Amino acid sequence: MSEGQHKIVATNLALSAGESLWQACIEQLAQELPEQQFNTWIKPLLAQVSDDFTRVTLFVANRFKLDWVRAQYSHRIAVMLEKLYGQPVHLELALAPREAQARSYATPASADMGAVAEPAELADDSASAAFKNRLNTALTFDTLVEGTANRMARAAAMHVSGMPGQLYNPLFIYGGVGLGKTHLMHAVGNKLLADKPGSKVLYIHAEQFVSDVVKAYQRKTFDEFKDRYHSLDLLLIDDVQFFANKDRTQEEFFNAFEALLAKKSHIVMTSDTYPKGLADIHERLVSRFDSGLTVAIEPPELEMRVAILINKARAESAEMPEEVAFFVAKNVRSNVRELEGALRKILAYSRFNQKEISIMLAREALRDLLSIQNRQISVENIQKTVADYYKIKVADMYSKKRPASIARPRQIAMYLAKELTQKSLPEIGELFGGRDHTTVLHAVRKISGERQQLTELNQQLHVLEQTLKG
Ligand SMILES: Nc1ncnc2c1ncn2[C@@H]1O[C@H](COP(=O)(O)OP(=O)(O)OP(=O)(O)O)[C@@H](O)[C@H]1O
């Protein structure tokens, strides 16, 4: 980062909203990181958020700290900001100018500019975090809105938190991005701890597990690693698809899995796909994943999206009229994280302009987002996306070939064309190699009927829809 960018500090870019985004981020990091690490590296950071929320610059006191924060925390911070905001956030690190340091680094001694701890000491979070459960206490069953989309998963999670180690072990929760899998997992841990405070619970992202395996390997500390993982009462492990192609990690996870199940500890996992859909994970592990209860979380339906918006606005001490919530929910359909992003924009917009929340204000606040949503999805795009997904040629979308491996993706593409575009049945037929409109109608009916029955097909359609809606 060049010196030139220091002047950003002086410019007054959407400070309140930016501050609240950054505030939410550091509150989350405070929950997840060992206190000493948090106080030393995160608390002293000064953040500058651009007014469209897409760029965050973090100012760090000196070159050493800058390198350290970049290496150790920048990825994590960027992921968290993206989670909080609902869209990718570009993160930059810069050296803080002197006047900003004087103004903003008036933090406790641990954050003293001169007092730089040894990296080796601080890098070792495996020991200091050994009994930190990494749970976010805000993510509970109470704050999770229930609807048809998550009813099964929620009921199973509730059951596990009440009677761990018994039914549904492991509990495998899968679904698309931002649908509340992580939230549900934390809720299980928080409820168990509320009921039985002495329980040993750990929430961990699969990537962190990978990194723990690597550290244990490098430092030859597998005994400590095993002590740590094999002694838990409840292991919550997020996004296990990240184990793909990591043989050593898979082996260690397999061992932990067997040890935990043998002592009737509970394991809850999440992933973006059902176990058999996981790529590059050993079969013995996949079959273990599937040996308890596997349950999907679907994208929330309209009424659930409305309830989520109203609840979340209330949690921010704001009232969102129902008609505004309907307007937003109809336009933001893909996942809850996006809904949260939309809500944050509306609240910030209303606060800055000191205006009541109305449909007009929401339309204004979400201008960019709505224009992206309204971007036309073309039949050609659907054909290409579906062909890529099922690994067939785009040309097969208009060919006369009939083997099931081709005919079925073609029917799925026809169904999506009817769902996601304004085209009529004859127009769609025309674009699929001049087929009759009754062929299209048959495909649409068949796929929409099967979608109700077949969870796997439903899941594939969600992935395709999310990809197409961008
Ligand atoms: N039913 C719900 N009620 C209230 N909040 C929800 C609900 N579902 C999701 N959320 C919120 O939406 C955000 C995204 O959820 P979460 O991080 O749990 O998604 P995820 O499925 O784990 O996604 P990813 O796979 O991308 O990590 C969180 O802030 C979460 O609290």
Side-chain angles (χ1 to χ4, degrees):
M1 181 61 42
S2 74
E3 302 286 316
Q5 288 196 304
H6 294 162
K7 66 179 181 299
I8 296 172
V9 172
T11 58
N12 187 15
L13 295 175
L15 270 182
S16 315
E19 271 170 8
S20 64
L21 175 64
W22 177 240
Q23 191 58 33
C25 180
I26 59 173
E27 275 166 20
Q28 183 88 19
L29 288 168
Q31 302 271 352
E32 294 181 7
L33 291 172
E35 202 177 323
Q36 187 202 16
Q37 279 187 37
F38 176 79
N39 284 337
T40 310
W41 302 105
I42 308 296
K43 205 165 157 189
L45 296 173
L46 171 64
Q48 179 72 60
V49 183
S50 67
D51 59 356
D52 62 359
F53 293 79
T54 56
R55 183 175 293 265
V56 172
T57 309
L58 297 179
F59 292 96
V60 189
N62 57 39
R63 171 61 59 190
F64 170 76
K65 286 196 167 191
L66 188 139
D67 291 343
W68 187 251
V69 171
R70 175 174 288 139
Q72 301 295 321
Y73 303 107
S74 61
H75 176 67
R76 187 176 191 144
I77 294 173
V79 169
M80 193 165 289
L81 286 168
E82 181 175 345
K83 272 197 163 197
L84 289 165
Y85 177 48
Q87 284 177 35
V89 173
H90 182 74
L91 186 70
E92 288 179 346
L93 291 168
L95 284 175
R98 288 195 182 287
E99 68 278 20
Q101 292 181 11
R103 185 159 46 84
S104 306
Y105 288 87
T107 38
S110 61
D112 175 36
M113 305 285 291
V116 174
E118 277 301 308
E121 216 180 288
L122 288 155
D124 188 4
D125 67 347
S126 58
S128 57
F131 295 103
K132 250 203 163 232
N133 56 43
R134 294 174 197 251
L135 286 174
N136 178 343
T137 49
L139 302 178
T140 62
F141 284 109
D142 290 342
T143 53
L144 186 85
V145 173
E146 187 182 349
T148 11
N150 66 3
R151 186 155 295 136
M152 272 260 297
R154 187 178 185 280
M158 265 294 209
H159 186 95
V160 167
S161 62
M163 279 193 267
Q166 297 188 26
L167 277 183
Y168 314 145
N169 200 10
L171 176 60
F172 190 99
I173 304 168
Y174 71 93
V177 295
L179 296 182
K181 302 183 296 294
T182 304
H183 188 137
L184 198 51
M185 231 182 196
H186 282 268
V188 175
N190 284 320
K191 170 118 184 4
L192 178 62
L193 280 179
D195 294 349
K196 294 187 193 142
S199 309
K200 257 177 119 180
V201 177
L202 179 69
Y203 164 84
I204 190 162
H205 191 271
E207 277 186 316
Q208 179 68 45
F209 186 87
V210 175
S211 137
D212 282 1
V213 172
V214 172
K215 272 187 219 152
Y217 199 53
Q218 286 170 342
R219 298 173 190 171
K220 302 191 173 50
T221 50
F222 268 110
D223 287 345
E224 285 159 41
F225 175 91
K226 281 183 186 140
D227 284 350
R228 181 174 188 211
Y229 281 99
H230 296 201
S231 65
L232 296 167
D233 297 312
L234 174 63
L235 172 61
L236 307 163
I237 184 150
D238 212 352
D239 287 330
V240 292
Q241 72 273 13
F242 281 103
F243 287 165
N245 289 320
K246 311 232 166 44
D247 289 346
R248 185 68 207 243
T249 300
Q250 289 183 31
E251 193 182 320
E252 286 311 323
F253 188 68
F254 180 82
N255 294 338
F257 190 100
E258 296 286 274
L260 290 174
L261 254 64
K263 67 190 262 300
K264 292 213 176 309
S265 297
H266 216 108
I267 301 169
V268 182
M269 289 173 276
T270 71
S271 159
D272 63 353
T273 179
Y274 48 91
K276 292 209 170 55
L278 285 166
D280 303 314
I281 293 194
H282 290 288
E283 180 47 39
R284 64 173 187 170
L285 209 45
V286 170
S287 69
R288 296 291 190 295
F289 288 174
D290 222 356
S291 61
L293 179 72
T294 299
V295 59
I297 296 194
E298 312 282 348
E301 68 278 6
L302 180 67
E303 292 78 2
M304 186 172 165
R305 298 201 296 277
V306 170
I308 289 174
L309 281 166
I310 293 177
N311 277 17
K312 291 205 183 273
R314 238 169 244 161
E316 300 273 328
S317 313
E319 265 313 306
M320 172 168 277
E322 209 174 286
E323 54 165 18
V324 182
F326 266 99
F327 168 78
V328 178
K330 275 188 189 148
N331 283 288
V332 182
R333 286 168 300 205
S334 50
N335 67 51
V336 184
R337 193 171 294 130
E338 279 201 2
L339 270 187
E340 288 181 333
L343 175 69
R344 216 169 290 119
K345 279 187 181 165
I346 292 170
L347 294 184
Y349 202 84
S350 146
R351 282 175 191 146
F352 291 150
N353 297 292
Q354 300 189 331
K355 283 190 188 154
E356 297 269 298
I357 298 176
S358 64
I359 293 189
M360 212 157 73
L361 180 132
R363 203 186 286 281
E364 189 58 25
L366 303 181
R367 212 174 33 225
D368 295 349
L369 202 138
L370 295 180
S371 68
I372 296 171
Q373 295 278 339
N374 292 338
R375 196 182 52 200
Q376 292 284 313
I377 297 173
S378 67
V379 173
E380 289 74 13
N381 194 1
I382 293 174
Q383 291 172 327
K384 169 148 189 5
T385 307
V386 175
D388 285 351
Y389 186 82
Y390 291 104
K391 301 192 173 48
I392 62 171
K393 295 194 195 81
V394 181
D396 288 332
M397 289 287 162
Y398 356 99
S399 74
K400 301 284 172 216
K401 286 189 201 159
R402 303 185 69 132
S405 58
I406 291 172
R408 189 163 175 78
R410 194 159 52 211
Q411 288 180 329
I412 287 173
M414 288 182 195
Y415 164 82
L416 289 170
K418 186 72 198 113
E419 284 286 295
L420 301 177
T421 74
Q422 305 297 321
K423 297 259 185 274
S424 65
L425 294 174
E427 283 170 330
I428 295 173
E430 196 50 45
L431 290 162
F432 279 82
R435 288 183 154 78
D436 192 75
H437 77 276
T438 52
T439 309
V440 182
L441 182 63
H442 171 73
V444 173
R445 289 203 176 134
K446 182 163 183 277
I447 300 299
S448 70
E450 286 181 11
R451 181 175 199 171
Q452 311 295 324
Q453 314 291 328
L454 305 174
T455 321
E456 291 184 12
L457 172 65
N458 192 26
Q459 169 70 10
Q460 292 168 3
L461 288 167
H462 283 318
V463 173
L464 287 165
E465 283 162 353
Q466 283 199 358
T467 311
L468 286 161
K469 287 178 191 164

mmCIF file of all heavy atoms in Angstrom, residues 320-334:
data_model
loop_
_atom_site.group_PDB
_atom_site.id
_atom_site.type_symbol
_atom_site.label_atom_id
_atom_site.label_comp_id
_atom_site.label_asym_id
_atom_site.label_seq_id
_atom_site.Cartn_x
_atom_site.Cartn_y
_atom_site.Cartn_z
ATOM 1 N N MET A 320 -39.104 -2.435 10.633
ATOM 2 C CA MET A 320 -39.254 -2.522 9.188
ATOM 3 C C MET A 320 -40.717 -2.859 8.897
ATOM 4 O O MET A 320 -41.180 -3.956 9.241
ATOM 5 C CB MET A 320 -38.337 -3.588 8.613
ATOM 6 C CG MET A 320 -38.616 -3.817 7.150
ATOM 7 S SD MET A 320 -37.365 -4.802 6.331
ATOM 8 C CE MET A 320 -36.139 -3.602 5.948
ATOM 9 N N PRO A 321 -41.454 -1.943 8.269
ATOM 10 C CA PRO A 321 -42.852 -2.241 7.973
ATOM 11 C C PRO A 321 -42.960 -3.494 7.106
ATOM 12 O O PRO A 321 -42.086 -3.760 6.267
ATOM 13 C CB PRO A 321 -43.330 -1.008 7.198
ATOM 14 C CG PRO A 321 -42.345 0.053 7.518
ATOM 15 C CD PRO A 321 -41.047 -0.614 7.802
ATOM 16 N N GLU A 322 -44.067 -4.232 7.309
ATOM 17 C CA GLU A 322 -44.207 -5.504 6.613
ATOM 18 C C GLU A 322 -44.147 -5.342 5.095
ATOM 19 O O GLU A 322 -43.539 -6.143 4.397
ATOM 20 C CB GLU A 322 -45.541 -6.123 7.017
ATOM 21 C CG GLU A 322 -45.502 -7.628 6.959
ATOM 22 C CD GLU A 322 -46.785 -8.227 7.503
ATOM 23 O OE1 GLU A 322 -46.943 -8.204 8.730
ATOM 24 O OE2 GLU A 322 -47.617 -8.684 6.700
ATOM 25 N N GLU A 323 -44.751 -4.266 4.583
ATOM 26 C CA GLU A 323 -44.761 -4.106 3.117
ATOM 27 C C GLU A 323 -43.341 -3.895 2.577
ATOM 28 O O GLU A 323 -43.004 -4.345 1.480
ATOM 29 C CB GLU A 323 -45.677 -2.951 2.707
ATOM 30 C CG GLU A 323 -45.355 -1.642 3.404
ATOM 31 C CD GLU A 323 -46.000 -0.447 2.743
ATOM 32 O OE1 GLU A 323 -46.943 -0.647 1.979
ATOM 33 O OE2 GLU A 323 -45.521 0.684 2.984
ATOM 34 N N VAL A 324 -42.490 -3.247 3.395
ATOM 35 C CA VAL A 324 -41.102 -3.067 2.948
ATOM 36 C C VAL A 324 -40.382 -4.413 2.991
ATOM 37 O O VAL A 324 -39.641 -4.777 2.074
ATOM 38 C CB VAL A 324 -40.352 -2.032 3.831
ATOM 39 C CG1 VAL A 324 -38.938 -1.827 3.326
ATOM 40 C CG2 VAL A 324 -41.112 -0.720 3.881
ATOM 41 N N ALA A 325 -40.656 -5.158 4.070
ATOM 42 C CA ALA A 325 -40.019 -6.479 4.185
ATOM 43 C C ALA A 325 -40.425 -7.359 2.993
ATOM 44 O O ALA A 325 -39.585 -8.066 2.427
ATOM 45 C CB ALA A 325 -40.415 -7.126 5.507
ATOM 46 N N PHE A 326 -41.681 -7.301 2.587
ATOM 47 C CA PHE A 326 -42.121 -8.079 1.423
ATOM 48 C C PHE A 326 -41.408 -7.619 0.159
ATOM 49 O O PHE A 326 -40.976 -8.429 -0.657
ATOM 50 C CB PHE A 326 -43.647 -7.979 1.243
ATOM 51 C CG PHE A 326 -44.365 -9.120 1.905
ATOM 52 C CD1 PHE A 326 -44.946 -8.956 3.156
ATOM 53 C CD2 PHE A 326 -44.435 -10.368 1.300
ATOM 54 C CE1 PHE A 326 -45.591 -10.021 3.787
ATOM 55 C CE2 PHE A 326 -45.083 -11.440 1.916
ATOM 56 C CZ PHE A 326 -45.664 -11.260 3.165
ATOM 57 N N PHE A 327 -41.292 -6.297 0.025
ATOM 58 C CA PHE A 327 -40.630 -5.763 -1.161
ATOM 59 C C PHE A 327 -39.187 -6.288 -1.234
ATOM 60 O O PHE A 327 -38.736 -6.783 -2.268
ATOM 61 C CB PHE A 327 -40.640 -4.222 -1.125
ATOM 62 C CG PHE A 327 -39.747 -3.607 -2.148
ATOM 63 C CD1 PHE A 327 -40.146 -3.534 -3.477
ATOM 64 C CD2 PHE A 327 -38.495 -3.111 -1.800
ATOM 65 C CE1 PHE A 327 -39.311 -2.982 -4.437
ATOM 66 C CE2 PHE A 327 -37.657 -2.557 -2.757
ATOM 67 C CZ PHE A 327 -38.059 -2.494 -4.076
ATOM 68 N N VAL A 328 -38.475 -6.209 -0.106
ATOM 69 C CA VAL A 328 -37.074 -6.650 -0.102
ATOM 70 C C VAL A 328 -37.007 -8.165 -0.323
ATOM 71 O O VAL A 328 -36.219 -8.652 -1.135
ATOM 72 C CB VAL A 328 -36.391 -6.268 1.239
ATOM 73 C CG1 VAL A 328 -34.941 -6.757 1.272
ATOM 74 C CG2 VAL A 328 -36.453 -4.762 1.458
ATOM 75 N N ALA A 329 -37.875 -8.890 0.393
ATOM 76 C CA ALA A 329 -37.827 -10.356 0.303
ATOM 77 C C ALA A 329 -38.148 -10.851 -1.103
ATOM 78 O O ALA A 329 -37.631 -11.871 -1.545
ATOM 79 C CB ALA A 329 -38.792 -10.963 1.312
ATOM 80 N N LYS A 330 -38.997 -10.116 -1.815
ATOM 81 C CA LYS A 330 -39.318 -10.550 -3.184
ATOM 82 C C LYS A 330 -38.132 -10.315 -4.110
ATOM 83 O O LYS A 330 -37.968 -11.006 -5.106
ATOM 84 C CB LYS A 330 -40.524 -9.752 -3.697
ATOM 85 C CG LYS A 330 -41.825 -10.384 -3.262
ATOM 86 C CD LYS A 330 -42.990 -9.703 -3.940
ATOM 87 C CE LYS A 330 -44.279 -10.181 -3.334
ATOM 88 N NZ LYS A 330 -45.313 -9.175 -3.342
ATOM 89 N N ASN A 331 -37.338 -9.323 -3.776
ATOM 90 C CA ASN A 331 -36.224 -8.994 -4.661
ATOM 91 C C ASN A 331 -34.909 -9.652 -4.291
ATOM 92 O O ASN A 331 -34.011 -9.762 -5.122
ATOM 93 C CB ASN A 331 -36.033 -7.474 -4.710
ATOM 94 C CG ASN A 331 -37.085 -6.836 -5.590
ATOM 95 O OD1 ASN A 331 -37.040 -6.978 -6.804
ATOM 96 N ND2 ASN A 331 -38.063 -6.194 -4.974
ATOM 97 N N VAL A 332 -34.771 -10.023 -3.031
ATOM 98 C CA VAL A 332 -33.522 -10.674 -2.604
ATOM 99 C C VAL A 332 -33.884 -12.097 -2.215
ATOM 100 O O VAL A 332 -34.427 -12.340 -1.153
ATOM 101 C CB VAL A 332 -32.885 -9.917 -1.412
ATOM 102 C CG1 VAL A 332 -31.568 -10.555 -1.006
ATOM 103 C CG2 VAL A 332 -32.687 -8.455 -1.764
ATOM 104 N N ARG A 333 -33.565 -13.022 -3.110
ATOM 105 C CA ARG A 333 -34.117 -14.359 -2.922
ATOM 106 C C ARG A 333 -33.096 -15.432 -2.614
ATOM 107 O O ARG A 333 -33.446 -16.502 -2.158
ATOM 108 C CB ARG A 333 -34.871 -14.779 -4.201
ATOM 109 C CG ARG A 333 -36.188 -14.081 -4.355
ATOM 110 C CD ARG A 333 -36.728 -14.306 -5.720
ATOM 111 N NE ARG A 333 -35.783 -13.784 -6.712
ATOM 112 C CZ ARG A 333 -36.115 -13.400 -7.927
ATOM 113 N NH1 ARG A 333 -37.355 -13.501 -8.320
ATOM 114 N NH2 ARG A 333 -35.221 -12.929 -8.773
ATOM 115 N N SER A 334 -31.826 -15.139 -2.902
ATOM 116 C CA SER A 334 -30.932 -16.297 -2.923
ATOM 117 C C SER A 334 -30.570 -16.842 -1.556
ATOM 118 O O SER A 334 -30.611 -18.045 -1.356
ATOM 119 C CB SER A 334 -29.685 -15.986 -3.722
ATOM 120 O OG SER A 334 -29.163 -14.778 -3.280
#
